[in-house]
Amino acid sequence: MKVLMFGWEFPPHISGGLGTACYGLVKGLAHHNQEVIFVVPKLWGDEEPLADFVNASDVVIDYRENRFKKIWKNLTYLEVSSFLVPYLGPEEFKKYTDYTVHDRMDVDESVFSNKFEFSGKYGKDLMKEVSRYALVASQIAKEKKHDVIHAHDWLAFPAGIAAKEISGAPLVAHVHATEYDRSGESVNQPVYEIERAGMHAADHVVAVSQLTKNIIINKYGVHPDKISVLHNAVLDASIIKSDATKKVPEKIVTFLGRITYQKGPEYFVEAARKVIQLDPNVRFVMAGSGDLLNKMVVRVAELGIGTKFHFTGFLKGNDVDEMYAISDVYVMPSVSEPFGISPLEAVRHNTPVIISKQSGVAEVLRNAIKVDFWDIDAMADAIFALLHYDGMSKMFKELGSEELKKLKWEHVAAKLVKIYQDTVKK
C-alpha cells in the first residue's frame, strides 16, 4: 500500500502532539512495510528518513489544466466568500478572482504558475497557508502515485480533498482534535466548516478516542459506521531513568501544555490554592504558553500564591524531560482533550498522573486518578493524596508503567493498515 499523507508538522520541528502522533504512525506503518509519502509545508532537512518526504515549498503548481479547474474554482469561492485566506498579492488576487468569476482562464501567466513558500508555523498567515497547501496538494497528487490519501486534522483536510479530486484515490481524514475541543461552543466558524467538509468528503474518518468520535457524530453529522477509533500510543514504553535533581526541598506538581481554554489551566490554579492551604510545602509549575497565560499570572497573584507558583514558558526537548523527572505529580485538567499524550510521557518518567475524565487518554490509561475537570475539590484531594501517601503513589507508578507496554504505535498502525485496505476496496 502506498499512502499519500498530508500533515502540518513532523519531528523534530513540532509544536504539539500532532507532530508526535504523525511520527509514531509513520514509524508504525514502516514497521508493517507500508510506503508513505509524507507532505509537509516546510522541510528542515533533519527529519528522520522514515518516509518519502515532500516539501510543499518546493512544488511548482500550474492550474491551467482542466483537471485543476474545479479545485481552483472551489478554492476561489472560499476565498472570495470569506476573504479570510488571500494567498496572492492584492493586484493578482483581484485579477484572478475577476477572471474566475467569469470562468476565464486567459489571465496573467504568473497567476497560474507559481511556487509558494510556507513558514510551516501557526502564525497570522495560517489560513493563507492552508489554502495554498491545498493547491500544492493537487499537483503532488498528480505527480505521486498512491493508493490512499491520509490527511491529519483541519489544516490538511483541504489538501486531502484537493488530492482526492485529482487522483480519485480514497481519503482518510484523521481527527486529532476538533474546534469544539479548542474553543468550546464558541467555535471559529470557518475552521468548523473546513473540518466538516473534510470529514464528509472523506471515505473514512479516524478519531483518536471514543470521546472524539462522539463529537464527530453529534456536532458534525457524520455517520458512526464511517468512523473508527484509533487511540494514540507512545514511541517508547520503557521507563526513563533521569539524573535530574530538584533544586527545591518542596514537592512539585506540574501542568505542562498549551495555556488555553482547552487545557483547563484555570482549574489547575484553583486546585493549587486549595492544596497550598493544606500544605504550604508544595510548589506548582505551569509550563507552556498560550492566550490565557497572562490571565493565569494575574489569578495566581490575586490568590496570593505567587511564591509557590512558577511559570516556565514554553519548554521543549531536554527541558520537558527534566520537568517530568523532577515532578512528584503531573496534572492534565483538560476541558476537552481528544487524547492527550503528555500523561503517557509523565508515566514514562515514573511520575503519577491525574487526568480529567473529559480526555481520550482516560480510555486507555486505567491506572491513573481521574477527575472531572471542573471539580477542583476532587483535583486538590487527589494531588494531596499522591503527595502524602507513598503507597498510593508507588502503586500508580508501577501499574502505569505496565500499561505503557500495551500502547505501541506498531499496534495502532496494524489497525490503520486494515482501515486502508477496507477503504480502498469500497
Side-chain angles (χ1 to χ4, degrees):
M1 189 78 68
K2 183 174 285 189
V3 185
L4 177 58
M5 190 174 288
F6 294 95
W8 200 260
E9 56 183 34
F10 200 86
H13 300 278
I14 61 174
S15 296
L18 177 59
T20 303
C22 288
Y23 176 81
L25 275 178
V26 171
K27 195 169 185 178
L29 289 170
H31 179 82
H32 293 285
N33 300 313
Q34 303 299 300
E35 188 176 346
V36 178
I37 304 163
F38 197 95
V39 185
V40 285
K42 184 180 180 68
L43 283 178
W44 303 87
D46 53 0
E47 291 81 6
E48 190 174 336
L50 291 170
D52 174 11
F53 283 100
V54 177
N55 185 352
S57 296
D58 284 343
V59 176
V60 176
I61 50 180
D62 189 324
Y63 325 106
R64 289 169 298 182
E65 293 185 38
N66 287 334
R67 66 167 73 191
F68 292 101
K69 192 172 181 181
K70 182 178 178 182
I71 296 168
W72 177 244
K73 289 173 67 176
N74 287 345
L75 284 171
T76 306
Y77 173 75
L78 291 175
E79 299 287 347
V80 174
S81 64
S82 67
F83 291 102
L84 281 173
V85 279
Y87 46 81
L88 302 173
E91 290 184 8
E92 280 190 318
F93 183 68
K94 184 177 186 302
K95 182 189 299 180
Y96 156 62
T97 52
D98 284 348
Y99 274 87
T100 306
V101 167
H102 296 290
D103 206 21
R104 293 276 296 280
M105 300 296 286
D106 54 339
V107 301
D108 186 84
E109 182 80 11
S110 66
V111 178
F112 289 103
S113 183
N114 208 343
K115 184 164 72 173
F116 296 120
E117 179 68 29
F118 295 92
S119 69
K121 297 180 180 178
Y122 297 87
K124 61 183 177 63
D125 292 328
L126 182 59
M127 279 290 194
K128 179 167 63 176
E129 295 203 353
V130 168
S131 181
R132 289 174 171 176
Y133 193 40
L135 293 173
V136 172
S138 61
Q139 183 69 28
I140 294 171
K142 175 191 171 188
E143 296 174 351
K144 298 279 187 177
K145 291 183 179 180
H146 55 280
D147 302 301
V148 65
I149 301 161
H150 189 147
H152 293 279
D153 261 358
W154 75 271
L155 295 158
F157 285 175
I161 295 171
K164 179 181 177 178
E165 289 283 351
I166 290 298
S167 72
L171 169 64
V172 174
H174 201 139
V175 182
H176 298 263
T178 70
E179 183 59 15
Y180 284 92
D181 298 305
R182 292 181 289 268
S183 305
E185 292 298 323
S186 302
V187 297
N188 180 317
Q189 196 62 29
V191 173
Y192 168 81
E193 294 295 342
I194 292 172
E195 289 179 331
R196 191 177 188 282
M199 295 177 201
H200 283 271
D203 297 272
H204 201 79
V205 177
V206 172
V208 293
S209 63
Q210 186 62 46
L211 178 77
T212 300
K213 179 176 179 177
N214 292 340
I215 293 174
I216 294 171
I217 294 168
N218 297 323
K219 300 294 188 180
Y220 294 84
V222 179
H223 195 281
D225 293 346
K226 188 178 173 179
I227 310 167
S228 296
V229 173
L230 287 186
H231 293 109
N232 286 334
V234 289
L235 294 171
D236 185 350
S238 62
I239 297 298
I240 297 173
K241 303 295 183 183
S242 174
D243 56 3
T245 56
K246 288 192 291 187
K247 303 296 192 295
V248 295
E250 298 97 333
K251 297 288 183 71
I252 295 177
V253 181
T254 298
F255 168 108
L256 194 154
R258 297 193 313 277
I259 306 177
T260 61
Y261 162 82
Q262 179 188 353
K263 302 297 182 180
E266 57 266 56
Y267 303 101
F268 181 76
V269 171
E270 299 300 329
R273 178 178 67 90
K274 289 181 174 291
V275 174
I276 292 169
Q277 287 174 338
L278 295 171
D279 182 1
N281 294 314
V282 182
R283 288 180 184 264
F284 287 79
V285 175
M286 184 165 282
S289 59
D291 60 347
L292 292 184
L293 175 57
N294 289 341
K295 184 178 179 180
M296 294 304 99
V297 172
V298 170
R299 183 58 179 157
V300 165
E302 289 174 346
L303 295 174
I305 57 174
T307 59
K308 295 294 181 180
F309 205 106
H310 305 271
F311 295 91
T312 69
F314 180 75
L315 300 181
K316 60 182 179 179
N318 292 334
D319 290 337
V320 173
D321 290 333
E322 186 170 335
M323 193 67 250
Y324 283 130
I326 65 174
S327 298
D328 296 282
V329 177
Y330 176 78
V331 183
M332 189 187 77
S334 297
V335 173
S336 181
E337 186 71 53
F339 188 79
I341 291 178
S342 59
L344 302 181
E345 293 301 322
V347 171
R348 286 193 66 211
H349 288 81
N350 220 19
T351 302
V353 300
I354 299 168
I355 56 180
S356 75
K357 294 178 181 178
Q358 292 73 28
S359 65
V361 73
E363 298 170 16
V364 297
L365 193 58
R366 292 174 174 80
N367 292 295
I369 297 180
K370 302 166 190 177
V371 299
D372 289 306
F373 71 87
W374 45 262
D375 195 342
I376 57 175
D377 289 320
M379 195 182 302
D381 288 344
I383 293 170
F384 187 86
L386 286 173
L387 292 177
H388 291 85
Y389 300 110
D390 293 339
M392 179 184 290
S393 178
K394 182 180 179 183
M395 176 188 72
F396 280 114
K397 288 179 182 179
E398 292 175 351
L399 294 176
S401 64
E402 284 300 312
E403 281 192 303
L404 284 187
K405 297 174 183 177
K406 305 172 186 175
L407 302 175
K408 296 183 177 180
W409 279 112
E410 51 261 43
H411 297 163
V412 179
K415 295 177 183 177
L416 181 59
V417 171
K418 181 64 165 56
I419 290 171
Y420 288 158
Q421 292 170 342
D422 292 343
T423 303
V424 169
K425 288 177 185 176
K426 289 181 181 178

